[in-house]
């Protein structure tokens, strides 16, 4: 991000404060430790199970989904040991009743690793930041549990990325709780993610963000053009729970691109590109690729902020295809079609967003913008309680801009800006002394 001083905006502050740095050295260290070779080794291991179809063998030690998930669990456990016990690992099981792609009641098992926060009794500890990829795979026929379904890219890549983030990040401490999940049964109907999302909702867990990674490991498109300089990040504006007067008020304020999932996408783009300027994050204003879906969907539908990372360009010969050759053309989701340096950059984009968010304060509460006519814009919000708080960033952007354009630091909880609220959107972030900024809170309109 470029550092802007708001020149269209002058502020009056009563408090003097030190503006925190824009980069946290710990986040830079985490990004450096992410290894393309490790991701490659994990993908190769996942492919070695032949198929990871949800209805495949669960007993064999060498083939099928059972062997695959036991290996994923053992990998997480290896990192758990290195973390001094702060990472805990478990299977999360649920029984899925018969449906289109589930002929009989089926046990669906996510593999979940949870990193204990720095201070388990703090408010920040209740914020959960989830990163996931699905470990199941499929062949041409979604019901074919016997044929090879290597699933190197879909979604061995996302699973390997999650493992690599767990390996690296579990060596560090964060204010919030990090949850690394290898989701089950995505290809049969998003069942593993759906069960975990419902459990989170039923328990009232504060899932602050969900980073879904699905098809994040190839850079060569079906058109023969390589695109390795950016990743796509999909987000839907609002979900089914955004209804009624509150929703209409939000839209009437022009906040239609500031729903939870879209705000999260904007946040990730800004942070990821700040730490890795040679690699960009392209926001796509859509739940997923056209008329398709993924494991972020059940989270988004329940009102959690959830986004999907996916490669810049697709190759349909290499996904959801039986491994075969036809007329000299190769089909199938194979390791040799992948680009692990590219996948590592996508992992870094995830890590930058997750690490920053996990150490940031909570987003400021009760943000207000005064609706009265006037040449100034008055904003106020509640004071954050975190002990490492440095202050707040007041953000602004033109109503048509996809990204925040301006930033102003204050340690106060009220600002009066020489800027017109008619043409700009405003938001508030809390920021700690290391420069970790929260998600942006949007103000509601008040009379005065
Ligand atoms: Zn997938």
């Amino acid at each position: 991000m470029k550092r802007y001083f708001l020149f269209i905006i002058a502020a009056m502050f009563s408090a003097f404060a030190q503006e925190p740095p824009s980069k946290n050295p710990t986040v830079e260290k985490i990004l450096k430790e992410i290894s393309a070779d490790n991701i490659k080794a994990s993908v190769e291991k996942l492919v070695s199970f032949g198929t990871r179809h949800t209805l495949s063998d669960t007993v064999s030690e060498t083939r099928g989904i059972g062997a695959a998930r036991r290996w994923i669990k053992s990998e997480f456990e290896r990192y758990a040991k290195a973390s001094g016990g702060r990472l805990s690992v478990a299977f999360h099981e649920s029984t899925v009743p018969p449906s289109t792609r589930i002929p009989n009641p089926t046990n669906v098992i996510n593999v979940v690793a949870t990193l204990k926060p720095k201070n388990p009794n703090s408010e920040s500890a209740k914020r959960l930041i989830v990163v996931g990829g699905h470990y199941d795979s499929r062949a041409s026929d979604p019901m074919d549990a016997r044929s090879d379904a290597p699933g190197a890219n879909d979604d061995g890549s996302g699973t390997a990325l999650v493992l690599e983030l767990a390996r690296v990040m579990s060596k560090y401490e964060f204010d919030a709780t990090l949850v690394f999940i290898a989701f089950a049964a995505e290809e049969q109907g998003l069942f593993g993610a759906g069960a975990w999302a419902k459990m989170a909702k039923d328990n009232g867990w504060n899932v602050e963000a969900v980073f879904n990674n699905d098809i994040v490991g190839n850079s060569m498109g079906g058109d023969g053009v390589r695109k390795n300089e950016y990743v796509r990040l999909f987000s839907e504006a609002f979900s089914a729970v955004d209804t009624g007067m509150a929703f209409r008020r939000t839209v009437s304020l022009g906040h239609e691109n500031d729903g939870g999932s879209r705000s999260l996408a904007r946040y990730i783009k800004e942070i990821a590109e700040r730490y890795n300027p040679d690699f960009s994050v392209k926001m796509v204003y859509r739940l997923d690729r056209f008329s398709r879906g993924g494991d972020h969907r059940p989270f988004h539908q329940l009102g959690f902020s959830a986004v999907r990372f996916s490669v810049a360009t697709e190759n349909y010969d290499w996904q959801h295809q039986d491994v075969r050759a036809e007329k000299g053309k190769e089909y199938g989701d194979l390791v040799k079609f992948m680009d692990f340096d590219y996948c590592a950059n996508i992992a870094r984009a995830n890590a930058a967003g997750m690490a920053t968010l996990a150490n940031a304060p909570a987003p400021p509460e009760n943000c207000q913008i005064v609706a009265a006519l006037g040449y100034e814009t008055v904003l106020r919000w509640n004071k954050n309680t975190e002990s490492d708080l440095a202050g707040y960033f007041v953000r602004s952007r033109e109503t048509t801009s996809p990204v925040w354009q301006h930033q102003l630091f204050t340690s106060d909880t009220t600002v009066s800006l020489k800027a017109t609220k008619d043409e700009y959107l405003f938001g508030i972030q809390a920021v700690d002394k290391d420069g970790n900024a929260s998600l942006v809170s949007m103000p509601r309109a008040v009379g005065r």
Side-chain angles (χ1 to χ4, degrees), residues 14-176:
S14 57
F16 171 84
Q18 185 74 42
E19 179 161 352
S22 66
K23 281 191 197 169
N24 177 352
T26 305
V27 178
E28 292 184 302
K29 260 176 77 186
I30 289 170
L31 265 53
K32 274 206 193 86
E33 287 179 37
I34 290 170
S35 148
D37 288 344
N38 280 340
I39 293 172
K40 178 167 189 261
S42 292
V43 170
E44 284 171 344
K45 183 68 188 181
L46 288 163
V47 168
S48 78
F49 297 108
T51 176
R52 305 186 305 279
H53 191 279
T54 296
L55 307 171
S56 64
D57 193 326
T58 59
V59 179
S60 164
E61 281 306 317
T62 53
R63 186 177 174 87
I65 193 160
R69 66 174 158 253
R70 286 189 291 278
W71 175 76
I72 294 166
K73 186 162 181 268
S74 72
E75 278 298 285
F76 277 142
E77 282 164 349
R78 203 157 62 83
Y79 316 147
K81 219 172 259 177
S83 79
R86 292 182 306 112
L87 188 71
S88 57
V89 188
F91 282 144
H92 166 246
E93 303 192 27
S94 54
T95 304
V96 177
S99 59
T100 319
R101 292 185 180 179
I102 299 280
N104 301 302
T106 300
N107 203 20
V108 158
I109 305 179
N110 299 318
V111 194
V112 184
T114 306
L115 185 66
K116 207 197 300 191
K118 204 182 292 177
N119 177 0
N121 299 319
S122 66
E123 272 303 301
S124 298
K126 294 178 192 157
R127 296 192 287 122
L128 305 186
I129 295 160
V130 175
V131 61
H134 70 88
Y135 72 94
D136 63 309
S137 67
R138 58 167 282 188
S140 296
D141 173 0
M143 302 303 285
D144 176 2
R146 292 185 173 274
S147 299
D148 277 352
N153 195 19
D154 186 11
D155 186 28
S157 62
T159 306
L161 180 153
V162 169
L163 285 169
E164 181 62 359
L165 292 188
R167 183 188 72 83
V168 173
M169 297 181 83
S170 60
K171 297 182 211 160
Y172 295 86
E173 289 193 311
F174 301 92
D175 294 341

Side-chain angles (χ1 to χ4, degrees), residues 134 136 154-155 186-187 214-215 289 308 320:
H134 70 88
D136 63 309
D154 186 11
D155 186 28
E186 193 270 353
E187 303 289 7
D214 196 350
I215 308 188
R289 292 121 348 122
R308 175 187 183 150
H320 300 187

Side-chain angles (χ1 to χ4, degrees), residues 90-292:
F91 282 144
H92 166 246
E93 303 192 27
S94 54
T95 304
V96 177
S99 59
T100 319
R101 292 185 180 179
I102 299 280
N104 301 302
T106 300
N107 203 20
V108 158
I109 305 179
N110 299 318
V111 194
V112 184
T114 306
L115 185 66
K116 207 197 300 191
K118 204 182 292 177
N119 177 0
N121 299 319
S122 66
E123 272 303 301
S124 298
K126 294 178 192 157
R127 296 192 287 122
L128 305 186
I129 295 160
V130 175
V131 61
H134 70 88
Y135 72 94
D136 63 309
S137 67
R138 58 167 282 188
S140 296
D141 173 0
M143 302 303 285
D144 176 2
R146 292 185 173 274
S147 299
D148 277 352
N153 195 19
D154 186 11
D155 186 28
S157 62
T159 306
L161 180 153
V162 169
L163 285 169
E164 181 62 359
L165 292 188
R167 183 188 72 83
V168 173
M169 297 181 83
S170 60
K171 297 182 211 160
Y172 295 86
E173 289 193 311
F174 301 92
D175 294 341
T177 300
L178 295 185
V179 189
F180 306 88
I181 309 183
F183 287 119
E186 193 270 353
E187 303 289 7
Q188 308 312 109
L190 317 177
F191 291 114
W196 202 91
K198 185 177 181 304
M199 176 177 68
K201 186 80 181 174
D202 291 347
N203 286 306
W205 292 349
N206 179 12
V207 178
E208 187 173 36
V210 177
F211 294 58
N212 181 33
N213 288 271
D214 196 350
I215 308 188
V216 287
N218 77 296
S219 57
M220 181 63 81
D223 56 2
V225 177
R226 186 176 297 285
K227 289 185 180 168
N228 58 4
E229 70 284 3
Y230 71 94
V231 63
R232 294 182 297 177
L233 186 56
F234 291 88
S235 67
E236 191 173 346
F238 290 106
S239 78
V241 301
D242 296 305
T243 57
M245 272 309 288
F247 175 63
R248 281 198 291 280
R249 265 200 300 271
T250 300
V251 173
S252 78
L253 291 176
H255 292 179
E256 63 264 30
N257 284 308
D258 292 272
S261 296
R262 180 123 332 135
S263 289
L264 174 61
R266 181 178 297 115
Y267 177 91
I268 294 169
K269 175 182 171 61
E270 180 175 84
I271 304 288
E273 292 178 356
R274 183 185 309 169
Y275 282 96
N276 194 0
D278 298 331
F279 189 71
S280 25
V281 175
K282 179 182 186 171
M283 287 191 288
V284 184
Y285 282 9
R286 180 171 282 155
L287 172 72
D288 207 310
R289 292 121 348 122
F290 196 82
S291 80
R292 299 163 82 189

Side-chain angles (χ1 to χ4, degrees), residues 244-371:
M245 272 309 288
F247 175 63
R248 281 198 291 280
R249 265 200 300 271
T250 300
V251 173
S252 78
L253 291 176
H255 292 179
E256 63 264 30
N257 284 308
D258 292 272
S261 296
R262 180 123 332 135
S263 289
L264 174 61
R266 181 178 297 115
Y267 177 91
I268 294 169
K269 175 182 171 61
E270 180 175 84
I271 304 288
E273 292 178 356
R274 183 185 309 169
Y275 282 96
N276 194 0
D278 298 331
F279 189 71
S280 25
V281 175
K282 179 182 186 171
M283 287 191 288
V284 184
Y285 282 9
R286 180 171 282 155
L287 172 72
D288 207 310
R289 292 121 348 122
F290 196 82
S291 80
R292 299 163 82 189
D295 282 335
H296 56 308
R297 186 166 77 189
F299 288 94
H300 175 75
Q301 282 175 336
L302 289 172
F304 296 122
S305 301
V307 295
R308 175 187 183 150
F309 287 88
S310 207
V311 291
T313 181
E314 303 237 3
N315 193 317
Y316 303 113
D317 297 339
W318 300 344
Q319 52 177 266
H320 300 187
Q321 293 279 3
D322 289 341
V323 179
R324 67 193 192 280
E326 269 174 28
K327 294 179 185 155
K329 198 170 187 180
E330 284 187 287
Y331 294 86
D333 191 351
L334 303 171
V335 174
K336 66 176 175 185
F337 300 136
M338 293 181 68
D339 179 342
F340 292 101
D341 289 327
Y342 178 61
C343 190
N345 271 329
I346 300 174
R348 290 181 190 107
N350 277 264
M354 288 175 66
T356 303
L357 192 53
N359 274 331
E365 289 182 6
N366 193 26
C367 295
Q368 302 178 352
I369 182 167
V370 176

